[in-house]
């Protein structure tokens, strides 16, 4: 399954995906390739049309119903796909004449290994941040490239650097936090970092910060 990485308003009759080609070696030095991703990557548009069987299902992540509230989006790697779709949708609505004051701000946190070869949608993000007529669809964009520095930097470190924004959006404005991506240690590391920001900035006890996080997940806070 792949998340759609485009807006049908900005790209009619199209559905873009953001896909990493799966290729690795086992502990026994045997090369393994992903069946679907390898096949899709082998298709050459210059040789003519290729018919790819697809089906669509309802996703588990979407923009909040109340779009007057600010949103923090965290998407390492190909987890950035649904957020590209959402930000393109916002851009299309702004282009159609809806004033930017009708929407809350969007802050995007993206992470990958190397800037030079892993900065997914680099040009597109720059365009989405431009303050065009109607306003920008992305207020802030923060990136972390873990292999470009001696000390590995991940999205949770960028969240810590922008602690004022995180606290303002989640506590003061009661905004939203969306997370997508590789479900290994990353979700736990991100959750712990956000909890620590809430605790420190709000002068709370650890128990109070945990209660805030729990109520937020349940939609009460």
């Amino acid at each position: 399954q792949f998340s759609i990485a485009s807006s049908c308003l900005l790209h009619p009759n199209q559905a873009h995906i953001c896909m990493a080609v799966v290729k690795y070696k086992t502990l026994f030095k045997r090369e393994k390739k992903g069946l679907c991703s390898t096949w899709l990557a082998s298709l050459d548009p210059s040789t003519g049309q290729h018919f790819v069987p697809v089906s669509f299902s309802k996703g588990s992540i979407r923009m909040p119903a109340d779009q007057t509230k600010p949103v923090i989006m965290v998407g390492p790697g190909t987890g950035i796909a649904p957020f590209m779709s959402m930000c393109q949708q916002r851009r299309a609505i702004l282009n159609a004449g809806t004033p930017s004051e009708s929407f809350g701000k969007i802050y995007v946190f993206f992470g990958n290994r190397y800037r030079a070869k892993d900065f997914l949608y680099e040009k597109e993000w720059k365009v989405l941040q431009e303050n065009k007529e109607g306003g920008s669809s992305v207020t802030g964009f923060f990136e972390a490239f873990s292999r470009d520095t001696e000390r590995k930097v991940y999205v949770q470190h960028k969240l810590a650097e922008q602690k004022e924004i995180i606290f303002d959006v989640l506590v003061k404005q009661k905004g939203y936090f969306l997370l997508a991506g590789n479900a290994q240690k990353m979700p736990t590391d991100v959750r712990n970092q956000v909890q620590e920001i809430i605790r420190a900035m709000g002068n709370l006890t650890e128990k109070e910060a945990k209660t805030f996080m729990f109520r937020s997940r349940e939609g009460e806070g």
Side-chain angles (χ1 to χ4, degrees):
Q1 292 184 337
F2 300 100
S3 295
I4 294 177
S6 60
S7 162
C8 60
L9 293 181
L10 211 57
H11 301 283
N13 303 315
Q14 298 180 26
H16 301 178
I17 63 172
C18 181
M19 179 190 73
V21 179
V22 178
K23 183 179 180 181
Y24 63 95
K25 287 187 178 181
T26 68
L27 293 174
F28 300 102
K29 306 300 181 182
R30 294 181 61 185
E31 188 175 82
K32 294 287 187 178
K33 295 181 179 180
L35 182 63
C36 181
S37 62
T38 300
W39 177 70
L40 286 173
S42 72
L43 302 179
D44 184 356
S46 66
T47 62
Q49 289 186 333
H50 299 276
F51 295 93
V52 180
V54 298
S55 62
F56 295 90
S57 59
K58 191 173 184 179
S60 60
I61 186 169
R62 59 186 62 86
M63 281 291 281
D66 183 1
Q67 295 200 34
T68 64
K69 296 288 187 180
V71 182
I72 295 167
M73 301 176 174
V74 180
T78 56
I80 202 65
F83 303 135
M84 171 55 70
S85 173
M86 294 174 188
C87 293
Q88 284 188 2
Q89 185 85 351
R90 174 70 61 85
R91 178 72 267 164
I93 295 172
L94 292 173
N95 289 346
T98 302
S100 59
E101 293 78 13
S102 302
F103 300 105
K105 295 179 179 179
I106 292 177
Y107 300 95
V108 179
F109 290 79
F110 168 72
N112 220 328
R113 294 167 67 86
Y114 300 99
R115 171 184 286 273
K117 60 181 180 180
D118 297 322
F119 198 159
L120 304 178
Y121 302 110
E122 180 178 8
K123 294 180 180 179
E124 288 86 346
W125 287 120
K126 289 180 179 178
V127 172
L128 289 171
Q129 291 177 81
E130 292 176 358
N131 193 14
K132 296 182 178 180
E133 183 177 354
S136 62
S137 52
V138 176
T139 300
F141 185 88
F142 310 97
E143 68 265 13
F145 296 99
S146 60
R147 300 303 190 272
D148 281 345
T149 55
E150 185 175 348
R151 171 181 172 266
K152 292 181 180 179
V153 178
Y154 298 107
V155 286
Q156 61 266 27
H157 300 125
K158 292 298 177 178
L159 290 169
E161 291 177 5
Q162 304 300 324
K163 59 185 179 181
E164 290 84 4
I165 290 176
I166 306 304
F167 188 79
D168 179 66
V169 169
L170 299 182
V171 179
K172 294 183 179 180
Q173 299 192 58
K174 299 187 183 299
Y176 296 90
F177 191 98
L178 304 179
L179 175 66
N182 191 318
Q184 295 181 6
K185 286 182 58 180
M186 184 273 294
T188 299
D189 291 340
V190 168
R191 183 181 68 246
N192 290 342
Q193 183 61 73
V194 172
Q195 181 175 302
E196 174 56 24
I197 291 171
I198 300 302
R199 186 202 64 76
M201 296 289 291
N203 195 26
L204 304 177
T205 64
E206 185 174 348
K207 182 177 180 180
E208 289 171 334
K210 286 183 178 179
T211 299
F212 174 88
M213 297 291 287
F214 175 78
R215 288 179 175 174
S216 295
R217 289 198 303 271
E218 295 298 314
E220 299 175 8

